[in-house]
């Protein structure tokens, strides 16, 4: 995934009301930007952090700038760029599947996004091929790192995420395949669950795995030019 145009740079002042952030482009130029991330963003909100912003091509948009990247030093390999826009992981996942980065998800003839399934949900990606069971893929964005090199999910309680795990397990019982795909928008060595932050999600994950739901994690190469999911990670659960 490449950004449509060069990103603007600034310094984070504050993030508030979940979807807003104040950014200093220059000392006397402070702007409010859209923050496409409803999560807690633990460890990513230090005032003064370097951030990168994209500009919308829609002239009618109220907030033309969107927060895309933040530079963070997790005490592991020095400062690195982290993608914070939760609108990107589905595209990153689709690109990774098309590139056969996850062998067990490769070889499907059709990839559809945002397909209705379960009770009232939409699955992020549905893989289909003649003569093969369909594969329902739920994608989650990851950008929490509290221990050097170890990416974690979630960074806050996600009842919706637990519901998705239950519905994936239901699809397995119908004869389909189902998988959780964690897109880590930063460099990492391994992935695990933040069970202390959301014990219910950790329990739901264990139940889903026992029912046959697969799980994969991919770390991303993040640059000011774009983001690419490219490195499979071991899942330590």
């Amino acid at each position: 995934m490449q950004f449509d145009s060069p990103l603007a740079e600034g310094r984070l002042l504050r993030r508030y009301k979940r979807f807003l952030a104040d950014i200093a482009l220059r000392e006397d130029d402070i702007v409010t930007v859209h923050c496409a991330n409803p999560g807690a963003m633990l460890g990513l909100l230090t005032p003064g952090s370097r951030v990168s912003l994209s500009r919308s091509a829609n002239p009618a948009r109220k907030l033309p700038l969107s927060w895309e990247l933040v530079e963070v030093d997790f005490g592991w390999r020095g400062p690195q760029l982290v993608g914070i826009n939760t609108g990107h992981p589905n595209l990153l996942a689709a690109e990774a599947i098309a590139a056969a980065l996850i062998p067990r998800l490769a070889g499907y003839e059709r990839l559809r996004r945002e397909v209705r399934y379960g009770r009232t949900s939409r699955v992020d990606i549905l893989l289909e091929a003649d003569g093969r069971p369909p594969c329902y893929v739920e994608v989650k964005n990851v950008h929490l790192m509290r221990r050097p090199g170890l990416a974690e999910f979630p960074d806050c309680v996600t009842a919706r995420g637990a519901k998705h795990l239950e519905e994936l397990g239901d699809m397995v019982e119908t004869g389909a395949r189902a998988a959780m795909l964690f897109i880590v928008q930063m460099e990492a060595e391994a992935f695990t669950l933040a069970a202390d932050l959301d014990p219910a999600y950790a329990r739901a994950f264990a139940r889903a795995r026992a029912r046959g739901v697969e799980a994969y994690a991919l770390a991303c190469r993040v640059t000011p030019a774009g983001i690419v999911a490219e490195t499979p990670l071991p899942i330590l659960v």
Side-chain angles (χ1 to χ4, degrees), residues 7-191:
L7 301 181
E9 293 191 356
R11 295 280 180 175
L12 176 65
L13 298 178
R14 63 170 182 149
R15 182 260 196 141
Y16 57 103
K17 295 183 179 179
R18 296 177 70 194
F19 298 109
L20 299 175
D22 287 342
I23 307 294
L25 299 179
R26 293 179 296 276
E27 186 175 347
D28 59 348
D29 187 5
I30 297 173
V31 296
T32 298
V33 308
H34 178 58
C35 176
N37 190 319
M41 296 181 65
L42 293 179
L44 307 180
L45 299 176
T46 302
S49 296
R50 293 177 57 188
V51 299
S52 300
L53 315 169
S54 62
R55 181 175 295 275
S56 172
N58 181 1
R61 184 169 150 174
K62 183 177 180 181
L63 297 176
L65 295 174
S66 292
W67 184 4
E68 298 286 354
L69 312 177
V70 59
E71 185 180 76
V72 183
D73 190 343
F74 296 112
W76 177 71
R77 297 184 180 177
Q80 66 165 299
L81 293 177
V82 179
I84 67 95
N85 189 331
T86 58
H88 296 326
N90 285 3
L91 174 58
L92 294 170
E95 291 178 343
I97 291 171
L101 285 181
I102 305 171
R104 292 203 63 200
L105 299 184
Y108 282 89
E109 299 162 0
R110 298 177 296 278
L111 184 155
R112 293 195 286 149
R113 294 170 58 180
E114 296 293 327
V115 179
R116 291 185 181 276
Y117 85 117
R119 294 183 288 274
T120 59
S121 297
R122 291 177 182 269
V123 71
D124 293 318
I125 293 173
L126 177 60
L127 302 175
E128 298 171 301
D130 296 339
R132 298 182 65 180
C135 185
Y136 293 77
V137 183
E138 190 69 35
V139 180
K140 295 300 181 188
N141 179 70
V142 180
H143 48 45
L144 174 63
M145 184 178 286
R146 295 179 293 175
R147 286 172 281 177
L150 184 62
E152 297 180 86
F153 180 88
D155 68 353
C156 59
V157 173
T158 172
R160 183 168 176 264
K163 172 176 173 284
H164 288 158
L165 287 167
E166 184 70 22
E167 290 180 330
L168 290 179
D170 292 343
M171 299 314 296
V172 172
E173 292 185 356
T174 70
R177 292 178 63 198
M180 279 298 314
L181 176 51
F182 298 96
I183 297 295
V184 181
Q185 286 201 72
M186 57 188 177
E187 296 180 19
E189 287 183 324
F191 169 82

